[in-house]
Amino acid sequence: MMSRRRVGIVGFGSLGQSIYNAIQHEPSLEIVFVWNRAKEVLAPLGSLALDDLKDVKERSPDLIVEVAHPSITVQYGTLFLSTCDYMIGSPTALADHHLESCLLDVALTSNHTIYIPSGAFWGGEDIKKMADLGILQGLRVTMRKHPAAFRLSGRLAELAATATESAVTLYEGPVRELCPQAPHNVNTMAAAALAAHNLGFDGVIGRLIADPSLPDRHLVETEVTGPGEPGAQFTVHTVRTNPAQVGAVTGSATFAAFHASVRRAHDRGPGLHLC
């Protein structure tokens, strides 16, 4: 009988709780700890609650799933990867090139895997195949949400507040520059930049739009450009409509995508992989 894969969950908001509940019905997985910054929500979990992330090794996890904040990867990513495989649910952290390089080095040295969940990113496997072959020439990802569905600060928050009657473009440019400005909102774009690794965070273009006409859904538009002569160039254009509760940062379908990613996060070898 195959042993169950031991999973630790870092972050117990709506997504972390959804993953926790899904694992209860997954015979191949078991939860060995849950951590959250606000400790009171962990009270019903008893001994599964972990007080300090520095103690993750004591729980002997096979996989740690982060669904809290990019700062977790900055502070604890190397510790997690020296312990076990690590799923980064907030991949905007990897817009820091030095951090990405450091984590990859630790993963290769310790023979562990960095997993990037697809989340709301559609077509990642095909885009990665094109990047592997060096034929991916362009990728633009547009995210449209109601202004209330963003968690922003500074200039982007001020711009979003003006989107009361019509759509407002908050940003258009390289994903690397956007990630630190909107770390809670553009994990889909970060996943795209990691899949499109021959373009990377500097070559993948992100466009963020606050649209008051979308109170109950999020739209993710992907435009792929490949080889070919002008006028006969390979292109793919997809639009993903993700139902969402009013004001929700995460769309409904993304929860199921995360559950599937956790189930698939095994036996991929050292390095970085989308799942």
Side-chain angles (χ1 to χ4, degrees), residues 14 145-151 211-218 242-252 255:
S14 58
K145 299 182 182 183
H146 190 276
F150 289 110
R151 290 168 59 190
D211 189 339
S213 71
L214 301 173
D216 57 356
R217 62 198 183 277
H218 303 162
N242 191 356
Q245 295 182 1
V246 176
V249 175
T250 304
S252 302
F255 291 91

Side-chain angles (χ1 to χ4, degrees), residues 22-39:
I23 290 177
Q24 306 304 313
H25 306 285
E26 180 57 57
S28 65
L29 303 173
E30 67 172 316
I31 297 169
V32 294
F33 76 80
V34 180
W35 177 92
N36 195 67
R37 195 175 304 277
K39 305 302 182 188

